[in-house]
Amino acid sequence: KQWYQRRVAITAGNADIVLDMCTLTGAQGITTGQHHAALLSNNAQWESCAVSAGLSSGDMLFPIVYAPELHFSEFKSSVADMKNSVANRSNAQSSCAGLFIGSHLFDDFSKPSPIVWLHIDMAYPVHVGERATGWGPALLLTLFGRYSTSGLLSNIAPVLPVDQASKRPKHDEMC
């Protein structure tokens, strides 16, 4: 019921983008290492924006495979709607874990979603030993601060410059 309420809140609230951040799996550290969080998205443009925001803020991200058509079968169950762990531990565990979260937000991965979804697994960058690093807030400010109704947040949010190498548009124009 709780997942259903979240899905209704997303659609009834007319959300354009949903971002979930969690310390979901130890597989994130194997996939992207200690300094980069894993990023899973259903939208290449926002994926690129998030990576740029990570580079600018210092809270770095690296994209992982988004292929629900290949990974969603990992959750098949003969007794439940779906299992909460993968069947094959060598099949992109971080991507599968993100899809598990996404499956509770969206009904059908086979159709394009009108809602942009970003999943960030930050299990390793958020700590060094037993100490927290403070990873995350700078990324969120860089990515979303200028859209805030808070004057303070929108005024201090950085504007990302044009990438001279790829001639990509400014972050503001993309996201």
Side-chain angles (χ1 to χ4, degrees), residues 8-175:
V8 169
I10 290 167
T11 54
N14 296 320
D16 295 325
I17 184 166
V18 172
L19 181 141
D20 72 86
M21 293 175 68
C22 54
T23 55
L24 194 58
T25 68
Q28 175 273 311
I30 295 166
T31 306
T32 60
Q34 187 174 6
H35 303 289
H36 291 77
L39 170 66
L40 185 69
S41 181
N42 65 350
N43 184 289
Q45 180 180 347
W46 273 93
E47 178 181 278
S48 178
C49 289
V51 169
S52 294
L55 290 170
S56 177
S57 68
D59 290 345
M60 297 179 292
L61 305 166
F62 196 82
I64 57 176
V65 177
Y66 178 75
E69 68 279 6
L70 299 176
H71 297 137
F72 203 72
S73 62
E74 291 291 332
F75 301 108
K76 284 187 180 172
S77 171
S78 59
V79 295
D81 291 341
M82 63 188 301
K83 287 195 266 182
N84 66 352
S85 63
V86 294
N88 180 354
R89 291 211 174 265
S90 62
N91 190 14
Q93 284 186 50
S94 290
S95 295
C96 292
L99 288 175
F100 181 80
I101 299 291
S103 70
H104 295 91
L105 300 173
F106 306 106
D107 289 324
D108 190 353
F109 282 111
S110 66
K111 298 176 187 172
S113 173
I115 299 171
V116 173
W117 172 53
L118 298 167
H119 164 74
I120 298 173
D121 187 340
M122 56 183 192
Y124 276 64
V126 298
H127 68 88
V128 175
E130 294 183 16
R131 308 287 277 183
T133 63
W135 193 99
L139 172 70
L140 294 175
L141 176 66
T142 304
L143 193 56
F144 298 118
R146 72 188 158 284
Y147 301 116
S148 175
T149 57
S150 163
L152 174 65
L153 292 179
S154 61
N155 287 331
I156 64 171
V159 176
L160 300 178
V162 172
D163 180 344
Q164 294 300 320
S166 67
K167 300 296 183 198
R168 289 188 310 201
K170 287 183 180 177
H171 179 73
D172 283 346
E173 296 168 6
M174 291 178 64
C175 304

